[in-house]
Every structure is written in C-alpha cells, then in structure tokens.
Amino acid sequence: LRNALLSSISHDLRTPLTSIEGAASALVAMGGEGKELAETIYGESLRLNLQVQNLLDMTRLQSGEVRPRIEWNSVEEIVGSALARSRELLGDRPVTVHIPSDLPLLPVDAGLLDKLFVNLFENAAKHTPPGTAIEISAKVGTEIVRILVADGGPGVPRGQETAIFERFAQGGSKGEGLGLGLAICRAIMRLHGGRIWVQNRPEGGAEFHLEFPKPKAQPEVPVG
C-alpha cells in the first residue's frame, strides 16, 4: 500500500513539475530582466523533478518491478548521455572524462546506468561549491571493470562512508533532497552483480567506485 501511494503521488507531481520546467526554460531563452530569476526557477524545478523521479524509481526497485534490459553498451557513451542530461545541475563545474580505449563493452541496462550517473553527478553538485572539478575515469582489472567518479569537494563525513547509501540518508547536507540518490545507485549496481562504495581522496574530495564483473568475452562484430 505504501509503495502504491508513493508511486501515485510521484506520478501526480511529475505533470505540473514538467510544466513548470518547460515554462521556466522558455523564459530563460527569452532573456530580459527576469532571466536570472527564471534560471533559478528552472534549476530548482530540475532538482525537484529528479527527486520525484528518484522516489518513483525507489518504489519500483523495492517492489522488484525493475527487470534490467541487459545489452552490450559502451561506458563512454552512457557517461556522455548522463553528462548531457546533468549539464544544468552541474553548472560551471568542469568535468574531465578519461576512459581507456581498451575498456570493454559491458552487458548492462543503459537506461539504469544513465540514472545511476545522473544521481552521482547530482550528488556532486549538491555537496561541492560551484567551480569544483569532477573527474570520471575507468580501469580494467583481471576480473573487474572499475569506474571512478571523483570530485574536489569536502568529501564524505568520517564514519558515514556506508551510511550514505541507505535510503533517506543526507550525507552531511542540511536536509536538502530526499536522500534517495545514492540508495538508488547501490540498488542499480546490485541488479548488475556489481557494487559501489566511496572513499575520501588524500588530496581532498570524495571518490565513488563502481565495480562491474569483467565480461569473459566481447560480442562478435559482424564483418562486411
């Protein structure tokens, strides 16, 4: 009953939020004296829309409704898509992507992985000051493929490295958001037989590690 209620509320909220987001975007494009105010409305509507979507996603993940559509996908393409969707949330934070050319294709659900990265980027935007650099990289091991998302912010409060992946955890922020983003990231990784964890970097900032089982083979590429 609780999941059904949350799902219904989430659906009902998305329609007016989408209208607000669209109207604010149009006002930003028009420019004029109210542009700065319109940009604020647009940015906050994007964040609220993401929170509502997270609430809907969490109820679906909890109920077992989500069945991953596993296909061979390029990590670089998924990251690029998520970055494009997160452009407004990240603002002026510079992003560097270092994906090695020998990184194998992964058997994953591209849509779910896109959600995962969007939530990681939103988390970085929420916990770092404007202008903070974000770095995305990947490594290939003997049995795993590891993707890292790091930032130059204040890092994770000591002792909270595991707790921040629980539902409704705030990760040190002052009540901003529902605290579902990282819980969704963990649930998505588990659906793919992988895991996610975080550690603070010696030079400062948080570094999220995503570990996927390394495929034993790659898909055959048709010749001709």
Side-chain angles (χ1 to χ4, degrees):
L1 178 60
R2 181 182 63 180
N3 283 349
L5 180 60
L6 289 174
S7 179
S8 177
I9 292 172
S10 300
H11 277 296
D12 289 345
L13 285 173
R14 289 193 69 187
T15 300
L17 273 175
T18 300
S19 298
I20 294 170
E21 183 181 318
S25 177
L27 288 173
V28 170
M30 290 171 61
E33 294 182 1
K35 182 179 179 181
E36 186 174 343
L37 181 59
E39 287 176 342
T40 300
I41 296 172
Y42 180 55
E44 292 305 311
S45 67
L46 286 175
R47 290 182 177 85
L48 186 54
N49 216 337
L50 179 59
Q51 297 303 324
V52 171
Q53 183 60 51
N54 279 346
L55 186 59
L56 185 60
D57 289 340
M58 196 72 245
T59 57
R60 293 178 63 232
L61 287 164
Q62 277 189 300
S63 65
E65 293 179 24
V66 178
R67 295 288 184 269
R69 297 181 60 183
I70 302 299
E71 296 177 338
W72 292 101
N73 282 284
S74 161
V75 169
E76 189 170 15
E77 290 181 2
I78 295 175
V79 168
S81 171
L83 281 173
R85 291 212 298 132
S86 305
R87 185 177 64 253
E88 298 293 339
L89 291 171
L90 290 173
D92 63 353
R93 294 170 179 82
V95 179
T96 56
V97 181
H98 301 289
I99 304 293
S101 58
D102 63 343
L103 193 77
L105 297 176
L106 294 181
V108 296
D109 183 316
L112 289 178
L113 263 290
D114 183 272
K115 289 180 185 292
L116 184 154
F117 284 114
V118 167
N119 273 293
L120 284 181
F121 299 151
E122 192 268 344
N123 182 75
K126 184 167 62 175
H127 294 291
T128 63
T132 302
I134 296 172
E135 303 170 14
I136 304 160
S137 59
K139 302 176 182 178
V140 183
T142 305
E143 298 183 350
I144 63 168
V145 173
R146 181 177 298 170
I147 304 168
L148 300 93
V149 178
D151 63 60
V156 179
R158 188 172 181 179
Q160 295 295 307
E161 293 88 351
T162 300
I164 62 172
F165 293 101
E166 299 296 332
R167 287 177 300 151
F168 308 116
Q170 295 294 335
S173 65
K174 298 179 180 179
E176 185 177 343
L178 295 174
L180 291 175
L182 294 181
I184 288 173
C185 291
R186 182 174 65 176
I188 290 174
M189 288 302 296
R190 286 176 173 174
L191 284 174
H192 288 85
R195 66 187 187 114
I196 180 173
W197 79 94
V198 65
Q199 65 183 26
N200 286 325
R201 302 196 295 175
E203 65 271 32
E207 185 174 68
F208 287 85
H209 294 242
L210 314 176
E211 267 192 7
F212 296 86
K214 182 180 178 181
K216 297 185 182 301
Q218 288 288 281
E220 294 185 6
V221 179
V223 178

